[in-house]
Amino acid sequence: MTKALLTSLHSNTAFGRPEFVGIANYAELLQDPEILDSLINTALYCAIFTPVSVILSLALALLLNHPLLPLRGLFRTWLFLPFIVSLSVTAFAWQYLLDPQLGLLSYWLSRFGIEFGNVFQDESLAMPAVALIAVWKNVPFYMTVFLAGLQDIPTSLYEAARVDGANAIKRFRHITLPLLGNTTGFVLVVSTIAALQAFDQIYVLTGGGPYRSTQTIVMQIYESGFRDLELGSASALSYLLLLMTLLLGVAQFFFSSRKARQAS
């Protein structure tokens, strides 16, 4: 890490002697239009991935926690399977499923009159597509976290609420959501950090295209460091990503501490 920090303070390429430039690499980050585009794309990715992941995983956890659901163990196992597959392998699978000529999913949708071209080559659809693939991959983990949080809530609280005449919506609003505060905060932070680090499926499916519409921060770091061999800029951008991740971690720490103080 120390070497990477020193590299970020130098005009360092794979060839020639490094030249100390101080914080010039960091200053250029906010002036380079390509880096600004990658920051905007990463924010868009987060805006799609994080809320969809949190809402969907919570909904699935509520469903799997229902005592009347038959075969709950089987469904939990089945829904968790996508998480154990690497994201790059998942990306290849979805690439074939969504192929407009050979894709099985494309064929099924066409039977209902829904036809589309190659979504990974469409500037407006590529980012939602790669984000939703990551949602499919990561939701099982977040679902498991929510499920653990739900099982920690005493059933006596729900029984008392039923006696008082509270319906399912009121029980969810006044019991489930408040007592899942720490769990929800944890999932929000973890999913946002995962979104900031998006790389695998983007590299496999779009390579940052079309027209840089899926170029995220990590993709920019990869291209700056390994394609353009601008090691100083790549290291500076890496530390910017580290700072963003650190701020999220600190926010989660203070949120959890505040909840703990309120509970005590």
Side-chain angles (χ1 to χ4, degrees):
M1 179 177 286
T2 302
K3 186 174 181 179
L5 179 59
L6 291 175
T7 302
S8 70
L9 300 176
H10 288 76
S11 179
N12 199 342
T13 64
F15 308 99
R17 175 175 294 182
E19 179 183 351
F20 181 78
V21 294
I23 62 171
N25 287 327
Y26 293 92
E28 290 177 1
L29 294 181
L30 301 179
Q31 300 176 0
D32 189 331
E34 291 187 356
I35 293 177
L36 292 177
D37 286 342
S38 69
L39 290 171
I40 293 173
N41 289 337
T42 302
L44 175 60
Y45 183 96
C46 290
I48 298 171
F49 175 82
T50 300
V52 173
S53 295
V54 173
I55 293 171
L56 184 57
S57 58
L58 176 57
L60 289 173
L62 290 169
L63 176 64
L64 293 177
N65 194 52
H66 199 286
L68 299 180
L69 179 69
L71 303 174
R72 285 194 298 171
L74 178 62
F75 281 117
R76 289 175 184 176
T77 303
W78 178 67
L79 288 172
F80 192 77
L81 287 177
F83 182 70
I84 66 177
V85 182
S86 72
L87 191 52
S88 56
V89 173
T90 299
F92 278 117
W94 279 100
Q95 186 177 40
Y96 285 107
L97 283 172
L98 295 174
D99 186 279
Q101 302 299 326
L102 305 174
L104 187 60
L105 184 58
S106 299
Y107 171 75
W108 287 341
L109 292 175
S110 67
R111 305 283 293 190
F112 296 95
I114 303 174
E115 297 186 2
F116 50 84
N118 190 337
V119 295
F120 304 116
Q121 297 300 320
D122 189 312
E123 190 174 357
S124 60
L125 296 178
M127 181 61 82
V130 296
L132 291 177
I133 289 173
V135 168
W136 182 83
K137 166 70 170 61
N138 289 284
V139 153
F141 171 71
Y142 306 141
M143 175 195 72
T144 304
V145 175
F146 273 123
L147 193 57
L150 287 170
Q151 292 177 348
D152 280 341
I153 300 176
T155 57
S156 58
L157 295 177
Y158 293 107
E159 294 170 358
R162 289 190 185 94
V163 172
D164 290 339
N167 57 27
I169 296 177
K170 289 184 178 180
R171 293 196 300 270
F172 175 75
R173 178 181 176 184
H174 297 289
I175 298 176
T176 305
L177 277 183
L179 294 181
L180 280 180
N182 281 339
T183 304
T184 304
F186 172 79
V187 173
L188 278 170
V189 171
V190 171
S191 59
T192 304
I193 291 174
L196 292 176
Q197 298 173 349
F199 176 78
D200 300 40
Q201 81 279 23
I202 296 175
Y203 179 79
V204 171
L205 295 171
T206 67
Y211 308 109
R212 300 181 60 83
S213 60
T214 58
Q215 186 81 354
T216 59
I217 294 177
V218 180
M219 279 294 301
Q220 185 66 42
I221 293 172
Y222 171 80
E223 290 192 357
S224 297
F226 293 95
R227 187 194 65 182
D228 302 333
L229 302 179
E230 296 178 354
L231 304 182
S233 297
S235 297
L237 189 54
S238 299
Y239 270 92
L240 176 62
L241 178 60
L242 175 63
L243 177 61
M244 296 168 65
T245 306
L246 180 62
L247 289 175
L248 286 170
V250 171
Q252 166 63 16
F253 174 78
F254 281 107
F255 177 81
S256 300
S257 300
R258 181 181 178 186
K259 282 287 184 180
R261 288 195 300 269
Q262 290 176 348
S264 60

